[in-house]
Amino acid sequence: MATSPTKESIPSIPPSKSTPPLDAPPSPRSHRALRRLQSAHALGQQASNQPSLISQHHRQVLQRNLSPAKKDAGSRARSNSDATNMPSPTPASGGRRPVPVRRPTAEALSLDRLIRDGPPDGDLLGGLEATRLKILDQGIKSDGDGMSSLRIYIWLILLNAPVLETDTYLALIHRGASPAYSKIRNDTFRTLATDPLFRRRVSEASLIRLLNAVAWKLHDAKEERARSVTSIGARTKNTANEHGSPELQASTPAVRSGQRALALKEGSDTAISEPGTYVQGMNVLAAPFLYAARSEAEAFIAFHRFITHECPGYVRGAMDGVHKGLALVDKVLAIVDPKLSLYLTGKGMSAELYAFPSVLTLCACTPPLPEVLRLWDFLFAYGAHLNILCIVAQLLILRNSILSSPSPTKILRSFPPLQAETIKEVALTLIKKIPDDVYAEIVIHAK
């Protein structure tokens, strides 16, 4: 994530769309309305300073009736005065000084223009912060199906994704089946199978190509790491110094401990049959990228950037990042609502039983898809780790139903339809209630 905001910089509650908070600065819309009123007042004042059409006609008639002598005298007088004392130019607007033209700030620009033209004066940090606030306040404009021509480019910016040439993506596709191809084919046909919007826009073949290309990319990265380790080992084996031979040095406890740590790190990717290239659930995590993107290449680079920089722990080995996230759901719920937490614990319901899909897929497993996209706008703007708070927020929204049910398993077996705006509002109120050390765990749990 491009310069992810800190806990203190995230607003506690989203700005109201009807009346702004008393202690909050006016929204960009207020500035624009004020400038329109000022411009109308200035134009009206300027018009009032101009002479009427009748006055201009009388002046023209009077000038034509002047005698030639008076015209000559007036010309000589003007010539003499011009030679001795040049008059200062008079402003054309009734004696008022011209107002200097000021470039609009990033806050005053619309989200569309800010993305299209870039931030004024090259202020990237200011433009990024303005983009985040506009997403929180106004959201990304989209149609009823959640489609927006702007969304994928905002995601690429917020993820700090590099530029990718289409030929690079095509080269990965033309390599054929990756080592994870069979696992991918076992999952793609059931990806968001009950969502008509997704099935109408994204084909299974497109999802297979994307996941297979990502699997090749991850496979190549792992091969490169393995070659680097082998190269370092070869250089160590052929090097001796005053401490003795490499074999003798490698027998020391410190070196053996380091070797075991390296082996565990590399071996953590071997907990699945296609190590480090594909895990079950990546198909659902990739689905919103394909739905929002305008091309497979855009979806590929955004998805690859996301899983390798924002949540590598979710798709690595035994999904240790997902299990850390589930433990944090339980911990956060115990902090913000002890009664609800104790009730679920008494029923033997930990987050491992009901929240695993929501953590792994950033709530993409819960329809409707347009609400998933709106929630992801917020997560990409302020940090994907806030998904933990969004899951707790959904539990708090269901609080009364859960506490009044003798069997909350039926309620939490599948979460109710997402309501992105409500979930964001509740999640933002939770941030200030969480201790700093717990919030730090949330930030790094998926790394």
Side-chain angles (χ1 to χ4, degrees):
M1 187 87 44
T3 59
S4 182
T6 60
K7 175 183 177 182
E8 292 74 15
S9 66
I10 300 177
S12 57
I13 56 174
S16 173
K17 299 185 184 306
S18 57
T19 55
L22 295 178
D23 57 348
S27 69
R29 294 192 296 273
S30 300
H31 287 301
R32 289 196 292 270
L34 181 59
R35 284 198 298 273
R36 285 198 298 268
L37 291 174
Q38 291 173 341
S39 299
H41 175 73
L43 289 173
Q45 184 178 8
Q46 179 178 349
S48 64
N49 291 332
Q50 296 293 336
S52 66
L53 293 176
I54 297 177
S55 301
Q56 294 178 18
H57 177 71
H58 287 324
R59 184 177 299 174
Q60 292 173 359
V61 172
L62 185 61
Q63 290 176 351
R64 285 198 299 269
N65 293 336
L66 286 176
S67 63
K70 289 182 178 180
K71 291 182 180 179
D72 293 339
S75 299
R76 286 194 298 271
R78 284 195 300 271
S79 299
N80 292 335
S81 63
D82 291 346
T84 57
N85 186 17
M86 292 291 293
S88 59
T90 303
S93 56
R96 292 187 300 110
R97 293 179 179 271
V99 179
V101 178
R102 295 182 179 178
R103 294 193 63 188
T105 61
E107 292 80 5
L109 294 177
S110 66
L111 190 57
D112 180 78
R113 185 177 173 188
L114 186 60
I115 300 301
R116 184 184 68 241
D117 301 337
D121 302 322
D123 183 11
L124 297 180
L125 292 180
L128 187 61
E129 183 61 25
T131 300
R132 288 177 173 138
L133 290 174
K134 289 177 186 297
I135 290 174
L136 190 62
D137 179 25
Q138 308 164 11
I140 299 176
K141 293 181 180 179
S142 56
D143 60 21
D145 293 344
M147 297 307 301
S148 168
S149 60
L150 197 63
R151 173 171 280 120
I152 187 59
Y153 301 112
I154 295 177
W155 286 6
L156 290 168
I157 292 171
L158 294 174
L159 293 172
N160 197 24
V163 177
L164 175 79
E165 295 183 359
T166 304
D167 288 345
T168 303
Y169 176 66
L170 293 176
L172 292 170
I173 293 176
H174 292 158
R175 289 171 65 174
S178 70
Y181 183 75
S182 60
K183 289 180 67 69
I184 292 172
R185 289 301 304 269
N186 287 336
D187 288 343
T188 52
F189 73 93
R190 52 174 172 253
T191 303
L192 303 186
T194 60
D195 194 313
L197 294 178
F198 179 77
R199 305 301 292 184
R200 184 169 66 237
R201 177 171 172 80
V202 181
S203 66
E204 183 185 359
S206 177
L207 185 59
I208 292 172
R209 286 192 296 268
L210 173 68
L211 293 173
N212 194 65
V214 170
W216 273 124
K217 189 79 171 175
L218 297 177
H219 173 81
D220 293 346
K222 187 180 179 185
E223 290 292 317
E224 182 64 28
R225 290 195 302 269
R227 285 193 294 268
S228 298
V229 172
T230 302
S231 176
I232 294 174
R235 288 198 300 269
T236 303
K237 184 176 181 180
N238 295 325
T239 303
N241 53 33
E242 66 273 12
H243 300 291
S245 65
E247 292 78 5
L248 182 61
Q249 296 176 46
S251 65
T252 62
V255 173
R256 286 200 303 271
S257 177
Q259 290 174 341
R260 283 196 300 270
L262 180 61
L264 288 173
K265 183 177 184 301
E266 291 296 318
S268 64
D269 292 342
T270 63
I272 55 175
S273 57
E274 279 78 21
T277 58
Y278 180 81
V279 295
Q280 191 173 18
M282 282 175 63
N283 55 317
V284 179
L285 199 57
F289 288 100
L290 273 172
Y291 186 83
R294 298 168 68 88
S295 70
E296 284 184 27
E298 290 175 344
F300 166 80
I301 192 60
F303 177 61
H304 179 264
R305 176 74 179 185
F306 177 71
I307 63 174
T308 56
H309 287 78
E310 298 302 317
C311 60
Y314 284 9
V315 298
R316 181 178 59 236
M319 305 182 188
D320 54 317
V322 177
H323 293 290
K324 291 178 182 178
L326 293 168
L328 285 168
V329 170
D330 289 330
K331 182 181 289 190
V332 171
L333 183 61
I335 294 172
V336 300
D337 195 332
K339 181 178 179 179
L340 181 58
S341 174
L342 288 174
Y343 184 77
L344 290 175
T345 302
K347 297 293 183 178
M349 294 195 64
S350 65
E352 289 273 357
L353 297 178
Y354 60 82
F356 189 94
S358 297
V359 173
L360 173 60
T361 66
L362 269 71
C363 297
C365 59
T366 306
L369 189 52
E371 291 297 306
V372 172
L373 301 179
R374 294 185 183 97
L375 186 63
W376 278 28
D377 295 339
F378 165 69
L379 294 178
F380 290 167
Y382 288 96
H385 55 272
L386 293 179
N387 180 51
I388 301 299
L389 302 187
C390 291
I391 296 172
V392 175
Q394 293 175 75
L395 296 175
L396 297 181
I397 294 172
L398 296 171
R399 184 179 193 273
N400 293 335
S401 299
I402 295 174
L403 292 177
S404 61
S405 173
S407 180
T409 306
K410 297 179 180 179
I411 299 175
L412 298 179
R413 183 177 296 139
S414 60
F415 280 51
L418 283 181
Q419 300 177 12
E421 290 301 319
T422 305
I423 292 172
K424 288 191 299 185
E425 292 178 8
V426 177
L428 289 172
T429 63
L430 300 179
I431 293 178
K432 305 303 180 184
K433 301 179 181 180
I434 302 174
D436 291 343
D437 58 335
V438 177
Y439 189 83
E441 291 183 48
I442 295 174
V443 171
I444 65 172
H445 81 276
K447 302 301 183 181

